[in-house]
Amino acid sequence: LAQPIAAGISPRTLPQLIDQHIRWDTGLVQMTFYHRFFLFARGLKWRQRLAYLGTCGGWIFSLIHYTTIVGTTLVANITIAIHPAPFSWTHLASIPLFLVGFCAWLLNPGASMMQRYRGLRMSFVYWPGTLVALWNAISRKRVKTSSESRRERFHPVMVFHVLVLAALVGSSIFAITTLNPIACVQGGVCIVVWLLIAWPIFVSILGGANHEATQWTEDEQNRPNLNFQTFSNEDEKRALVQMKQALVEIQKRIQVMENRKSRKSLNAT
């Protein structure tokens, strides 16, 4: 339509955003458990089961995806540091592991490398929340609503972020101390990449400027008045014309589907 007819309030801080995704993931986990992981749901075709598993069960693949990236990075740094001699078995094993983690990062959805980087950064923020959502669903713990989330700078989940980041940076420094050229390059790249990925966590903990809060304020100031009484007659006419065109298009598609069904039934007879 030409005019917006709905508006929502996004989380103003990163901890509130984490609470929001914990609440969403808890619902998805509950749905997955209730419908038997969608693969054993009753009354569904296999295509429908796979479609539900790929959408509502996406939290499973996000855990596998992120665990692969973190795990391969840790194992690659540790293996190359155990025996840093060139062309040793640990040296040769660390390179494929590092490439597996890099390829898993490339599989992150996004139209460009920058969007993939942003997606991986938000996966780093959300991933521990998925574990919390899994625990909430199993223990049937009550989840806080959006109005109850008042965290501004720190979220308990960020402790897990700091521990994972410390393990990644520590393993990278351990690899650099071997003074192996490839190990130094690999460890240095890991440190830079993971510090950039965890940048929103540092900004939130240190109380820096929050992009979500700034964007929310700008959107709130520029948001038009959604009172329908303030719409002009021309705006109303334009909206009605667009709605009528959409209804006509929907009716045409329904008619085409009915014609196809009738042809199939005639061919079957």
Side-chain angles (χ1 to χ4, degrees):
L1 298 178
Q3 296 290 340
I5 59 175
I9 299 177
S10 61
R12 302 187 61 178
T13 62
L14 186 62
Q16 293 177 9
L17 183 65
I18 293 174
D19 279 333
Q20 183 188 64
H21 277 265
I22 289 175
R23 186 167 61 251
W24 290 353
D25 289 341
T26 302
L28 292 176
V29 173
Q30 290 174 346
M31 289 174 58
T32 305
F33 287 168
Y34 182 79
H35 293 288
R36 305 173 183 178
F37 288 86
F38 303 103
L39 294 178
F40 305 98
R42 299 176 181 176
L44 294 178
K45 298 180 179 178
W46 276 105
R47 290 182 179 179
Q48 294 174 333
R49 295 175 182 177
L50 293 176
Y52 278 115
L53 181 63
T55 53
C56 299
W59 60 273
I60 301 174
F61 301 103
S62 66
L63 287 178
I64 296 173
H65 180 215
Y66 193 76
T67 304
T68 301
I69 296 176
V70 176
T72 52
T73 304
L74 288 173
V75 175
N77 290 331
I78 293 174
T79 52
I80 200 171
I82 291 176
H83 199 283
F87 304 106
S88 62
W89 71 270
T90 55
H91 189 273
L92 296 176
S94 65
I95 298 176
L97 289 173
F98 188 76
L99 293 177
V100 167
F102 183 74
C103 292
W105 172 58
L106 291 178
L107 291 175
N108 205 47
S112 63
M113 298 297 288
M114 181 57 66
Q115 290 184 359
R116 288 188 175 93
Y117 160 68
R118 291 176 179 173
L120 182 61
R121 186 174 63 180
M122 297 316 295
S123 298
F124 179 79
V125 174
Y126 299 149
W127 181 65
T130 305
L131 296 177
V132 176
L134 183 62
W135 171 254
N136 291 339
I138 295 175
S139 62
R140 297 182 179 180
K141 185 179 178 181
R142 179 182 175 274
V143 183
K144 291 184 178 181
T145 60
S146 57
S147 60
E148 294 176 343
S149 180
R150 301 298 181 185
R151 296 186 174 97
E152 296 294 332
R153 294 176 54 180
F154 181 76
H155 194 284
V157 171
M158 292 182 179
V159 176
F160 190 83
H161 288 120
V162 174
L163 293 176
V164 171
L165 185 63
L168 291 168
V169 174
S171 64
S172 301
I173 295 175
F174 183 49
I176 292 174
T177 55
T178 60
L179 301 179
N180 187 324
I182 295 180
C184 292
V185 173
Q186 179 176 311
V189 170
C190 290
I191 291 175
V192 173
V193 169
W194 283 105
L195 288 179
L196 289 175
I197 290 174
W199 180 252
I201 303 297
F202 294 123
V203 172
S204 179
I205 293 176
L206 298 176
N210 190 283
H211 175 72
E212 286 78 10
T214 305
Q215 189 68 34
W216 183 88
T217 304
E218 294 177 356
D219 293 342
E220 188 68 17
Q221 292 175 354
N222 300 327
R223 185 171 62 89
N225 188 358
L226 299 181
N227 187 1
F228 287 98
Q229 296 178 357
T230 62
F231 286 177
S232 62
N233 293 330
E234 295 180 358
D235 294 335
E236 292 179 356
K237 290 179 181 179
R238 192 182 301 111
L240 288 174
V241 169
Q242 292 178 356
M243 291 178 65
K244 288 180 180 180
Q245 292 176 353
L247 289 174
V248 170
E249 185 66 25
I250 292 173
Q251 290 176 356
K252 289 182 180 179
R253 293 184 180 182
I254 292 175
Q255 187 64 34
V256 170
M257 294 176 63
E258 290 179 352
N259 293 336
R260 289 178 180 176
K261 288 182 179 180
S262 61
R263 288 176 185 174
K264 289 182 179 180
S265 61
L266 289 175
N267 294 331
T269 56

